[in-house]
Structures are given as structure tokens and as C-alpha cells.
């Protein structure tokens, strides 16, 4: 079992922390709840922070026809709270410690990072598109390279695995960066080999060249270059085809030592993963058990087997069948 440092995550306060939603509700969210032992949360409700109170009249994003500018307004009162929200977002985000991620309320005109309805007018007007909320948009601008997600999307286990993997990998690198040595960076990169291979083989090779440091650059410069490459590598979820390739690669360590039935079982699991019937963790559990059995120490160091705390593994899915 790996030990994990606690990521710092900004979370919408209405998710498990406070009854501050516009209708006075607190939202029960199993993912936020499951993360509590492993994450240091910073809860925030931008709408309450700018003085809208709880409960409150709803707000919406309205796009001005002439200028194309988007304003945050309260239809029932006609109040425009755009400037207050923008000022709060700049002030709050600028005051944060070195955070690792954000977990925000989806479709919220303040916190949403995508799929927020943009309206043509403040009263009984149709929506004419989708975008980000005012606070959520500022988060993406400033921290889009970190692990940023909306709670609704995390019902999809592919997105959830990516969010957790990105969050805990970034945190581990930041801990490493706090005491930077080339020896530790070489070990970190070696331990991440198969995880990074699943995400982007081209970037993996580029990061390998950075670590090799043939130009004899200062340690600080090497870490800075490696960090930027890491964010680029983790930008998108690993494709399932890449995961299949990595699993087959790892399987190659054992195939000459396994019984026919064991090989068939592995290939059956891999097929189910390909068909999106089971999460990747189900396949990795089997491969890891073989690494233990055959004492493959190099494999046992690979974070690919446990990129985030095992207790967070879930097989439930939204059932929407969407590829994001």
C-alpha cells in the first residue's frame, strides 16, 4: 500500500459542507465524502461571499446582444453582480495557498466550469449557448493546469479515475519539489513510467530527456521544465487503448509463468475493460497480484497500480455512456 500526501482542494461549500445552495439545501455528494480522509478541503460559496445570502433568488449569466459581454444578473431584482463576483474571484484565488485542485458545483452560474447556460436576456429568455460560470471561468484561467472538475461529471468513472490520478500525482510531485534533488527526480520518474506511458508516450520520452539532463542545467531549471511537461501530460485522461497497451506490456513480465486459465482470465478482464464494463482498477488488481507473486520489484514500485488511495476505487458509473 502506498502512502499519500494530502492534496489541497478548493470545493464548492454546498457540496457536503454547508446548506448554502440558492434554495437553502446542502448537497450530499458521495465523492466529496469519500475524499474527506485523504484531502484537505477549502470550502467556498462565491454567491454567499458576495452577499447574496441563503436562501436567495437565482442568478444567471446573460450575454449582451450588442457587445457580446456576459453579465451575472439576478432576474427577480434586476441586480447586476458581475463586478462583485469578478472582484471576489480575483481576491480569493490570489490569496490561496499552493492548491492542487478544485471540485466545483456543475452548471452553477458562479462555480460551473462548463455546461453553464448562457441566456439571451434576464427574464424568460431562452438560453443561447453554454460556457463557464464567472468564478469557475477564473479558476480555469488561473489554475486550469491543475486537477479541476465538477462534481456531476465525476459520476463517470473514467473522468473520476483521471481526476484522482491527476490530483494525487501533482501533489506527490509538489512534495518532491519542496526538497529537489536529481536523485529523487530520477526515482520519481522511474516509478511513474507505466502511468505516464498510459497518458502520453511522447511526453514520457520528453520527460525522460529532461531527467537525463545532458545539458547539465541547474536542478531548479530541470524541475521547472519537468513540471510543465507533467501538466501537459496529465491534461487529458489516458485513452483506454493506451491503458490496454500498458496492461499488455506488464502482462509480458508474467505470461511465461502463468497457467493457461490465468492468461484467459486476464484477457477476459481486459476485454471487459475495453467494453467499459469494469474500471481499469479491476485489471490492475490482478496484474499487481502477479507482481507480488513473482517478486517483480520494479513493477511493485509503479504508481500505475495505485495512482490514488485504493479506498477511493468505485465501479459505479453515471450510465450516460458519454466519452468526454
Amino acid at each position: 500500500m502506498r502512502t499519500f500526501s494530502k492534496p489541497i482542494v478548493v470545493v464548492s461549500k454546498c457540496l457536503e459542507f454547508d446548506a448554502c445552495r440558492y434554495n437553502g439545501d446542502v448537497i450530499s455528494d458521495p465523492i466529496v465524502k469519500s475524499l474527506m480522509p485523504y484531502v484537505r478541503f477549502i470550502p467556498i460559496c462565491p454567491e454567499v461571499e458576495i452577499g447574496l445570502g441563503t436562501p436567495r433568488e437565482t442568478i444567471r449569466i446573460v450575454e449582451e446582444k450588442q457587445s457580446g459581454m456576459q453579465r451575472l444578473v439576478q432576474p427577480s431584482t434586476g441586480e447586476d453582480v458581475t463586478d462583485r463576483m469578478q472582484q471576489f474571484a480575483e481576491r480569493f484565488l490570489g490569496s490561496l495557498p499552493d492548491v492542487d485542485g478544485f471540485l466545483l458545483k456543475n452548471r452553477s452560474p458562479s462555480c460551473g466550469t462548463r455546461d453553464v447556460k448562457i441566456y439571451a436576456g434576464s427574464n424568460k429568455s431562452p438560453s443561447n449557448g453554454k460556457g463557464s460560470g464567472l468564478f469557475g471561468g477564473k479558476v480555469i484561467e488561473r489554475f486550469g493546469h491543475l486537477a479541476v472538475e465538477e462534481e456531476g461529471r465525476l459520476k463517470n468513472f473514467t473522468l473520476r479515475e483521471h481526476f484522482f490520478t491527476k490530483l494525487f500525482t501533482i501533489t506527490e510531485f509538489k512534495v518532491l519539489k519542496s526538497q529537489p534533488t536529481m536523485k529523487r527526480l530520477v526515482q520519481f520518474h522511474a516509478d511513474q513510467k507505466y502511468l505516464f506511458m498510459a497518458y502520453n508516450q511522447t511526453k514520457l520520452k520528453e520527460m525522460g530527456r529532461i531527467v537525463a539532463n545532458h545539458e547539465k542545467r541547474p536542478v531548479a531549471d530541470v524541475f521547472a521544465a519537468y513540471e510543465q511537461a507533467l501538466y501537459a501530460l496529465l491534461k487529458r485522461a489516458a485513452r483506454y487503448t493506451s491503458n490496454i497497451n500498458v496492461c499488455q506490456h506488464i502482462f509480458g513480465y508474467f505470461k511465461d509463468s502463468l497457467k493457461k486459465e490465468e492468461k484467459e482470465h486476464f484477457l477476459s478482464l481486459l476485454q471487459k475493460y475495453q467494453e467499459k464494463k469494469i474500471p481499469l482498477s479491476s485489471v490492475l488488481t490482478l496484474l499487481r497480484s502477479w507482481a507480488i507473486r513473482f517478486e517483480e520489484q520494479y513493477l511493485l514500485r509503479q504508481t500505475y497500480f495505485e495512482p490514488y488511495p485504493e479506498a477511493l476505487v468505485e465501479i459505479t458509473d453515471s450510465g450516460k455512456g458519454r466519452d468526454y
Side-chain angles (χ1 to χ4, degrees):
M1 295 284 287
R2 288 181 64 194
T3 56
F4 293 88
S5 298
K6 280 193 173 186
I8 301 174
V9 178
V10 177
V11 64
S12 292
K13 192 182 278 188
C14 62
L15 303 175
E16 288 291 345
F17 286 92
D18 194 15
C20 61
R21 204 167 181 231
Y22 73 93
N23 59 359
D25 283 351
V26 60
I27 299 169
S28 177
D29 189 272
I31 294 169
V32 172
K33 201 177 291 185
S34 69
L35 278 168
M36 284 180 177
Y38 306 101
V39 165
R40 178 189 155 198
F41 278 122
I42 300 176
I44 190 70
C45 177
E47 294 175 24
V48 170
E49 292 294 330
I50 65 169
L52 292 181
T54 307
R56 56 188 170 275
E57 296 294 326
T58 58
I59 55 177
R60 62 166 51 175
I61 298 175
V62 175
E63 188 168 277
E64 295 177 348
K65 192 172 183 180
Q66 299 296 327
S67 65
M69 288 183 61
Q70 293 181 357
R71 311 293 297 178
L72 189 61
V73 301
Q74 197 168 46
S76 63
T77 63
E79 187 175 8
D80 186 324
V81 297
T82 309
D83 292 343
R84 280 153 62 188
M85 183 62 76
Q86 288 178 338
Q87 289 165 12
F88 165 74
E90 292 291 348
R91 186 172 67 252
F92 174 77
L93 296 176
S95 70
L96 285 173
D98 189 12
V99 298
D100 304 297
F102 291 76
L103 183 46
L104 302 172
K105 181 70 190 82
N106 71 324
R107 298 175 184 166
S108 160
S110 56
C111 286
T113 61
R114 70 192 75 210
D115 290 340
V116 178
K117 288 183 179 180
I118 312 295
Y119 291 88
S122 58
N123 283 302
K124 296 182 180 178
S125 298
S127 65
N128 58 2
K130 292 182 179 180
S132 59
L134 263 67
F135 179 80
K138 292 291 184 186
V139 168
I140 294 296
E141 282 177 23
R142 196 162 184 157
F143 298 103
H145 58 288
L146 299 179
V148 181
E149 260 302 352
E150 299 178 329
E151 110 288 353
R153 282 166 44 92
L154 293 186
K155 291 182 177 69
N156 178 291
F157 66 65
T158 302
L159 296 180
R160 189 165 63 247
E161 285 187 328
H162 172 57
F163 176 71
F164 289 165
T165 298
K166 185 173 183 177
L167 179 63
F168 284 93
T169 303
I170 286 172
T171 301
E172 184 176 350
F173 177 76
K174 287 184 177 180
V175 171
L176 178 72
K177 193 174 69 167
S178 67
Q179 294 180 305
T181 68
M182 287 305 300
K183 182 179 179 181
R184 295 180 75 214
L185 183 61
V186 168
Q187 187 63 64
F188 175 85
H189 187 68
D191 292 347
Q192 310 286 342
K193 177 184 174 181
Y194 288 120
L195 178 65
F196 290 176
M197 183 187 289
Y199 268 84
N200 189 318
Q201 290 195 43
T202 303
K203 278 290 173 188
L204 169 66
K205 291 175 184 176
E206 177 190 326
M207 293 163 81
R209 289 192 293 271
I210 293 170
V211 172
N213 195 22
H214 295 306
E215 302 87 356
K216 305 298 181 186
R217 291 187 291 176
V219 173
D221 292 353
V222 175
F223 268 76
Y226 191 90
E227 184 170 16
Q228 292 309 306
L230 176 64
Y231 292 142
L233 177 135
L234 293 172
K235 188 173 182 179
R236 293 181 180 84
R239 292 184 177 89
Y240 76 93
T241 49
S242 297
N243 278 316
I244 290 170
N245 177 56
V246 172
C247 287
Q248 288 172 331
H249 194 97
I250 295 172
F251 176 62
Y253 278 79
F254 319 115
K255 65 179 183 181
D256 293 335
S257 306
L258 296 171
K259 296 176 183 177
K260 179 185 175 184
E261 292 80 6
E262 290 176 307
K263 296 177 187 177
E264 289 173 350
H265 178 55
F266 167 75
L267 294 173
S268 171
L269 283 182
L270 207 58
Q271 181 65 32
K272 288 177 183 176
Y273 168 69
Q274 185 172 347
E275 294 168 357
K276 301 183 181 180
K277 293 179 179 178
I278 60 172
L280 177 63
S281 53
S282 298
V283 182
L284 296 186
T285 298
L286 180 60
L287 288 172
R288 190 181 190 182
S289 72
W290 289 337
I292 294 169
R293 175 173 150 195
F294 297 111
E295 300 179 348
E296 290 287 352
Q297 297 304 318
Y298 177 72
L299 289 182
L300 290 173
R301 288 190 61 91
Q302 292 297 311
T303 60
Y304 189 59
F305 288 118
E306 192 182 1
Y308 54 85
E310 194 174 51
L312 297 176
V313 173
E314 286 280 351
I315 62 168
T316 55
D317 186 57
S318 61
K320 294 177 182 177
R322 290 177 60 178
D323 288 323
Y324 290 88

